[in-house]
Each structure stands twice: as C-alpha cells, then as structure tokens.
Amino acid sequence: RGAVGEVPLVITPTMLSTVSNTVRNNLKRHVAASAAADQKRGFKAAVLGAAGGIGQPLSLLMKLNPQVTELSCYDVAPITPGVAVDLSHCSSPAQATGYSGDDLNKALDGCQVVVIPAGVPRKPGMTRDDLFNTNAGIVKNLIAACAKSCPNAALLIISNPVNSTVPIAAEVLKKAGVYNPAKLFGVTTLDVCRARTFVSQAKGLDVNKTNVTVIGGHAGTTIVPLLSQVEPKATFTDAERDALTHRIMFGGDEVVKAKAGGGSATLSMAYAGAEFADSVMTAMAGGKGVTQCTFVESSITEAPFFSSPVTLGKDGVETIHGYGEVNEYEKKLISDMMPDLVSQAKKGVDWVAAN
C-alpha cells in the first residue's frame, strides 16, 4: 500500500504481461545482436603460394571477403610483397601484407585460417600424381611451419595430389604433436562447382539452385559425382550420365588441354578455394547449417581420408555425413576407385616416414 494520501499501486496481469514481453523482446534483440556480432568476427587468414596462378586470384577473393580482417600473402617468389601492395589498393577492409623467402613463420603468426595452393601446376599429359615428388616436399615444409606458428589454425590444402598431400600434412602435424583432424581439410569444392555447372547446363537448371554431392577423392576416377542425388531431381539417359560423370572426373584435364601447356585450372580453383574458405570462416564465426563436401580423415569407408558432406562448426569439422543411398552405377564407381584412394593416402604416409 502507498503512504497516506497516495493512490495505491495496483499491478494488473496486463502490466505483468507487458513487462514480460518487453524483457523478452529486449533479450531477443540482445541475443540477435550478439550472434550477428559473433558472425562478423574478423579472421586473420594466410594464402601460401600467393604469387602463383591460383594464389593471386585466390588472394584477391580473400581480400574481398568481409570476414577477413588481415591477409598474409606468402610465396617463395620475390614479387610476393608486391602482390600484397597491389591487393592493398582494393577498397575492402582487410589489410594485406606480403612475405617471401625466410618470412614464412612471420606470415603465419596468429593466423586462424591457412589456404595452401602452393606447388607446381600440371602440364598436358601429366596426372596429379606426377606432381607428387615436388609438391610433397613443398607441403611438408609449409605444414611444418603451420605446426610451429599457428597450430590451431584451420588448414585448407589445395596443392595436388590432394589424395596424398592431405595425409602428408596429417603425418607432419602428428610428428609435431599438434594434429587435429577437425582442422585439416582437402579442398574438393572445385569438383562440386564443376558438377553443379555441368549438370545445370545439361538439364537447363538454375546453377544457383542446383546441388550435386561429389564424394571420394580429388583425382580422376576417385572423384565420384552422385548424379542420382541431384537436387532439384533430374533424370539422365545412360549416355548423359556417362558423359557428365567423365567430364566431372576429368574437368581438370579439360582445362590443362585448353591452356595447351600454359597451366592448369587456376581461376576456377581460386573461386572454389575462396568459397570453401568462406564456409569454414562462417562456421567458425558461429554460423549454423554450413555443410560442404571436403576431404577429411574419415571412418565412413575403408579409406582413411574421404570426401563426403561435412557439417562445419566453430572448431572445424562438426559432423562427417555418409553419402546416403546410391545406385548400382555409383556403387561400382566407388568400389572400383577405392583401392586407388587407399594407396594414394598410403603413398603420402610412407613418404613422410621416409623423409
């Protein structure tokens, strides 16, 4: 009751409801603002091999990504600091810095995401496995530096042959005592991009609404597009299926031949690498429902590393999904390529043991 002469305060159910709704709405706004702020959290990212055919366009796309606040560009090529100066003139918030030579550890210090396209490209007649001897050593040295300077970073491997270089990276990280399978990825996004593009063109679909799961590895017949699972649902004659499957498997060869000795897929690989890096950062920043096909340590098949749909989270790999129901044609593709996928991983592991 109020004092003498004051009107008593009467709290009605309506008032309680109003206060409750106000508190609830304020809380909702606070949570939404916090989530938005969290998802806008900036990342320090590095591109290793930043002066190369993939590295330069990839660095440009990373510089333009609003989630990147700092971009380290490293390459052995002496022009790399100049590449970063060039990038720094682009009107996006990320700060680009270039490093070369002995400055690898400096470039990696504090990085949360590292994308690695370094290595020699394919020429006509070469398979990705022909690159093994050169690129194995490059990947080993770069991963050893990551283990020292940014052991908790997400590591995105583009350097071919991915089926072997990812296992090499895992072994190097194990030797350094910092291996985290949830933070090591082979980038197979280009296979998915090609599948979406080729299928949408063949069937008259909107490429932005076309989804194709591509599993296995990232070399020739180890790349298995699951055309039976295309969304939106599409049907293919046997001839269409065979032609699309072959083109998706050997899309890289199509570019190598078209460039006539002038290089391999660089622009499309940079696009795909930047797309996957964006997904990794989105998930690390708290984004939900981020799922991409990627080549990771996996137990869903007999292969120690396998690409299938993976849900990403704040700490990297959150859930590795199986590839669902497949038809007899796809079962045979998977069965036929499995020995190659297993042996290519073993080749990487054995190489680290011997080197």
Side-chain angles (χ1 to χ4, degrees):
R1 294 177 61 87
V4 176
E6 291 183 351
V7 177
L9 176 61
V10 179
I11 299 176
T12 67
T14 301
M15 292 171 65
L16 281 173
S17 176
T18 301
V19 171
S20 177
N21 286 336
T22 301
V23 170
R24 189 183 299 114
N25 289 335
N26 285 339
L27 182 60
K28 281 182 179 178
R29 279 194 292 271
H30 174 73
V31 170
S34 296
D38 191 33
Q39 291 195 34
K40 289 180 181 176
R41 178 167 67 88
F43 290 90
K44 182 175 183 181
V47 176
L48 307 184
I54 297 171
Q56 289 202 39
L58 174 59
S59 296
L60 173 61
L61 293 169
M62 294 294 284
K63 170 73 168 76
L64 300 178
N65 189 308
Q67 299 194 90
V68 177
T69 52
E70 293 182 67
L71 179 64
S72 285
C73 301
Y74 175 84
D75 204 306
V76 293
I79 68 163
T80 314
V83 171
V85 170
D86 195 357
L87 289 170
S88 72
H89 293 188
C90 299
S91 53
S92 67
Q95 299 298 306
T97 308
Y99 303 89
S100 61
D102 296 330
D103 287 336
L104 175 57
N105 288 310
K106 190 185 296 184
L108 290 168
D109 185 48
C111 286
Q112 296 144 296
V113 177
V114 180
V115 192
I116 307 180
V120 295
R122 285 196 294 159
K123 292 183 170 58
M126 292 177 70
T127 66
R128 290 179 178 87
D129 201 49
D130 291 333
L131 306 175
F132 181 93
N133 288 329
T134 300
N135 288 357
I138 292 170
V139 169
K140 177 189 173 186
N141 293 335
L142 294 177
I143 293 296
C146 291
K148 179 180 178 181
S149 299
C150 54
N152 297 315
L155 306 177
L156 285 56
I157 312 293
I158 291 173
S159 308
N160 276 315
V162 166
N163 294 355
S164 299
T165 54
V166 173
I168 285 171
E171 293 304 303
V172 172
L173 293 167
K174 286 175 188 176
K175 283 190 172 184
V178 295
Y179 178 50
N180 179 356
K183 291 287 187 76
L184 178 62
F185 305 91
V187 180
T188 59
T189 313
L190 181 52
D191 303 324
V192 177
C193 289
R194 285 176 174 143
R196 293 176 62 212
T197 301
F198 302 161
V199 167
S200 64
Q201 289 172 346
K203 307 308 287 187
L205 303 172
D206 180 346
V207 68
N208 292 315
K209 296 177 181 177
T210 303
N211 293 309
V212 187
T213 297
V214 183
I215 63 169
H218 181 62
T221 56
T222 68
I223 300 167
V224 181
L226 303 181
L227 299 183
S228 67
Q229 298 180 10
V230 168
E231 295 177 355
K233 185 68 176 175
T235 56
F236 306 90
T237 65
D238 288 354
E240 285 176 326
R241 176 202 64 196
D242 292 349
L244 278 169
T245 297
H246 186 273
R247 192 179 180 202
I248 293 162
M249 285 179 170
F250 297 98
D253 292 5
E254 186 177 312
V255 177
V256 170
K257 288 174 186 173
K259 288 190 175 181
S264 56
T266 53
L267 300 174
S268 54
M269 186 63 250
Y271 167 82
E275 182 178 291
F276 185 68
D278 182 67
S279 292
V280 170
M281 290 186 289
T282 297
M284 288 173 67
K288 301 298 182 185
V290 182
T291 300
Q292 289 269 12
C293 290
T294 179
F295 189 69
V296 294
E297 183 178 303
S298 172
S299 60
I300 67 170
T301 71
E302 64 191 88
F305 290 85
F306 193 84
S307 183
S308 67
V310 173
T311 297
L312 306 170
K314 286 189 174 185
D315 299 311
V317 172
E318 192 169 90
T319 307
I320 298 172
H321 303 280
Y323 49 79
E325 290 187 22
V326 296
N327 60 29
E328 291 303 316
Y329 177 80
E330 293 157 351
K331 282 181 184 175
K332 187 173 189 308
L333 292 177
I334 296 166
S335 175
D336 288 351
M337 69 83 174
M338 193 61 70
D340 285 340
L341 193 58
V342 171
S343 68
Q344 287 164 20
K346 184 176 184 298
K347 183 176 182 178
V349 172
D350 291 347
W351 184 88
V352 174
N355 292 273

